[in-house]
């Protein structure tokens, strides 16, 4: 680690320092690795897709799948965050090459683009790398921004926002999620914009329709009504859901933490009064009589687990990083979440439809849950509304991929 980076690392907390260390390690030798990997690339069109982290990959996933179904092309996927890269490092279906994104310097950008030679480039949600975007535009490589939200308080409108405005105008076309984002782009003088649905719906629908069975979780749920607390991310999330479990000992809970380090798992287990078991302590034959809480201490399957739920709380809503509500909504279950929803469109839509609910404290969550606990007619109503909501938002991938594919193959 260079001196400046090492000094910065020491300023961080232990968990952040670990993540930063992984980031630095991922950047070491990345240009040479990309160049060597791409040296013997097949002679076919290349689409480069960049996702900041694993959450953004959920948007990329249906786009990648459709591109691969439609024609013979090379997919290069990059991540900036170790969370995305490490999750897909050994299994990345549809992706031909997986890399960390080199830092946004002019030298790195030229080296990366010379090696990858993309015919099209796709960035997801909120990516504004000025050197990459300027060089892509200079090379006349069509570049798309997908699932963008341009808020009223975005950096584009600040006194220091010139570089962001320049980056935004570098995109060949931008797909935004709502009318306000399109209006804001027009106010910025950018009119190459389309309101489209969210590919996350296509991804969630694919997951929900994919057969999936887990013997341990199936045995724990055993046709009962189960509350899933998904992506528990911080102490506030844990306070809400553990209080709810303690107030409703007759209800079974699946706790699915975002962080499965031993200290965190121990804190979760100690927060509930009823009997709680770790998934790793169980087998398909475990007798769950008297067990109220099952703590899932592995990652990667939450989107599938929601099919076992009757109600859900999705974590991250007491930070700017609320996790995916769509993954739960696609199963037709009511969803609660913390109050920081300004960065996303979906929570507000769900609130307006009555299928989602902001909760600010344990009492809010308890009131919401109690109103639905034995209210079968209301649960059925929510299921129907959710079904229509999801159906009305499916299909964005088709529109976006059609634009990406235009001119991609020689016979277009």
């Amino acid at each position: 680690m260079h001196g400046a980076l090492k000094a910065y690392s020491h300023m961080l907390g232990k968990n952040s320092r670990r993540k930063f260390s992984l980031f630095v390690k991922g950047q070491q030798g990345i240009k040479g690795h990309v160049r060597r990997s791409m040296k013997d690339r097949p002679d076919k069109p290349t689409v480069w897709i960049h996702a900041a982290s694993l959450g953004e990959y959920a948007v990329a996933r249906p786009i990648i799948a459709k591109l691969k179904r439609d024609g013979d092309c090379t997919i290069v996927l990059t991540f900036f965050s170790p969370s995305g890269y490490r999750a897909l490092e050994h299994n990345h279906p549809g992706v031909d090459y997986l890399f960390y994104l080199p830092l946004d310097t002019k030298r790195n950008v030229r080296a990366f683009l010379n090696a990858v030679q993309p015919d099209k480039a796709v960035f997801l949600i909120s990516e504004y790398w000025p050197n990459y975007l300027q060089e892509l535009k200079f090379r006349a490589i069509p570049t798309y921004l997908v699932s963008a939200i341009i808020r009223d308080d975005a950096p584009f409108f600040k006194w220091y926002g010139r570089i962001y405005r320049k980056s935004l105008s570098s995109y060949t076309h931008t797909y935004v999620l709502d009318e306000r984002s399109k209006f804001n782009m027009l106010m910025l003088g950018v009119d190459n914009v389309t309101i489209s649905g969210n590919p996350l719906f296509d991804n969630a629908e694919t997951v929900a329709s994919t057969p999936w069975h887990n013997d341990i979780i199936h045995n724990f749920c055993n046709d009962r009504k189960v509350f899933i607390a998904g992506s528990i991310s911080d102490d506030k999330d844990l306070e809400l859901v553990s209080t709810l479990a303690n107030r409703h000992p007759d209800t079974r809970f699946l706790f699915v933490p975002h962080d499965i380090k031993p200290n965190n798992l121990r804190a979760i287990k100690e927060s509930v009064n009823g009997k709680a078991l770790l998934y790793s302590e169980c087998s398909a034959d475990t007798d769950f009589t008297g067990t109220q809480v099952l703590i899932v201490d592995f990652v990667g399957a939450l989107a599938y687990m929601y099919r076992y739920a009757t109600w859900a709380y999705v974590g991250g809503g007491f930070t700017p990083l609320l996790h995916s509500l769509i993954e739960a909504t696609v199963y037709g279950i009511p969803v609660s979440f913390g109050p920081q929803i300004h960065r996303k469109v979906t929570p507000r839509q769900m609130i307006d439809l009555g299928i989602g609910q902001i909760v600010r404290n344990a009492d809010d969550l308890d009131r919401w849950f109690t109103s639905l606990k034995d209210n079968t007619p209301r649960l059925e109503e929510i299921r129907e509304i959710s079904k229509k909501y999801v159906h009305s938002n499916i299909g964005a991938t088709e529109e976006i991929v059609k634009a990406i594919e235009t001119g991609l193959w020689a016979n277009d």
Side-chain angles (χ1 to χ4, degrees), residues 262-332:
N263 287 348
N264 192 48
L265 295 174
R266 183 164 53 252
I268 294 171
K269 202 169 185 178
E270 292 174 352
S271 71
V272 294
N273 299 332
K275 182 180 178 181
L277 294 175
L278 298 178
Y279 177 94
S280 59
E281 297 173 334
C282 305
S283 70
D285 299 323
T286 297
D287 182 2
F288 287 110
T289 302
T291 302
Q292 187 196 8
V293 178
L294 180 63
I295 304 166
V296 178
D297 54 348
F298 69 92
V299 298
L302 175 59
Y304 295 92
M305 292 179 203
Y306 282 120
R307 68 191 62 201
Y308 288 102
T310 304
W311 321 268
Y313 172 88
V314 174
F318 289 92
T319 77
L321 302 175
L322 174 65
H323 292 275
S324 174
L325 307 181
I326 299 170
E327 290 179 351
T329 302
V330 73
Y331 294 102

Side-chain angles (χ1 to χ4, degrees), residues 313 317-319 322 337-342 348 358-361:
Y313 172 88
F318 289 92
T319 77
L322 174 65
F337 40 87
Q340 292 200 35
I341 64 172
H342 59 282
R348 177 55 57 189
I358 286 177
V359 291
R360 292 179 169 81
N361 51 53

Side-chain angles (χ1 to χ4, degrees), residues 145-203:
L145 179 61
V146 174
S147 291
I149 301 175
I150 311 299
R151 303 191 311 273
D152 296 352
D153 61 348
F156 312 106
F157 298 103
K158 307 295 186 182
W159 62 267
Y160 54 82
R162 182 176 177 274
I163 191 170
Y164 293 99
R165 292 190 291 272
K166 187 176 181 180
S167 296
L168 188 62
S169 64
S170 297
Y171 285 105
T172 306
H173 203 88
T174 297
Y175 294 90
V176 298
L177 293 179
D178 60 0
E179 287 279 359
R180 190 68 191 180
S181 293
K182 181 175 182 178
F183 174 80
N184 282 337
M185 287 195 66
L186 293 174
M187 290 292 290
L188 292 165
V190 181
D191 60 3
N192 52 340
V193 56
T194 299
I195 300 172
S196 72
N198 192 337
L200 282 172
F201 283 94
D202 298 314
N203 183 61

Side-chain angles (χ1 to χ4, degrees), residues 122-268:
V122 182
F123 291 73
L124 304 171
I125 302 179
S126 59
E127 294 293 282
Y128 309 103
W129 299 103
N131 290 311
Y132 276 105
L133 291 170
Q134 184 176 338
E135 187 67 18
L136 285 163
K137 188 174 183 178
F138 176 76
R139 298 186 185 205
I141 298 170
T143 305
Y144 307 90
L145 179 61
V146 174
S147 291
I149 301 175
I150 311 299
R151 303 191 311 273
D152 296 352
D153 61 348
F156 312 106
F157 298 103
K158 307 295 186 182
W159 62 267
Y160 54 82
R162 182 176 177 274
I163 191 170
Y164 293 99
R165 292 190 291 272
K166 187 176 181 180
S167 296
L168 188 62
S169 64
S170 297
Y171 285 105
T172 306
H173 203 88
T174 297
Y175 294 90
V176 298
L177 293 179
D178 60 0
E179 287 279 359
R180 190 68 191 180
S181 293
K182 181 175 182 178
F183 174 80
N184 282 337
M185 287 195 66
L186 293 174
M187 290 292 290
L188 292 165
V190 181
D191 60 3
N192 52 340
V193 56
T194 299
I195 300 172
S196 72
N198 192 337
L200 282 172
F201 283 94
D202 298 314
N203 183 61
E205 178 70 13
T206 298
V207 170
S209 61
T210 301
W212 188 83
H213 178 85
N214 181 290
D215 288 337
I216 294 174
I217 294 174
H218 182 80
N219 183 19
F220 174 75
C221 296
N222 194 23
D223 296 324
R224 292 178 171 84
K225 291 181 178 180
V226 173
F227 190 107
I228 286 190
S231 295
I232 305 171
S233 300
D234 54 28
D235 291 343
K236 190 66 175 178
D237 285 336
L238 180 56
E239 176 194 347
L240 266 64
V241 296
S242 61
T243 300
L244 187 70
N246 292 336
R247 291 179 180 179
H248 297 270
D250 59 329
T251 302
R252 287 200 170 181
F253 286 76
L254 267 176
F255 281 16
V256 189
H258 186 64
D259 180 355
I260 58 170
K261 293 198 298 293
N263 287 348
N264 192 48
L265 295 174
R266 183 164 53 252
I268 294 171

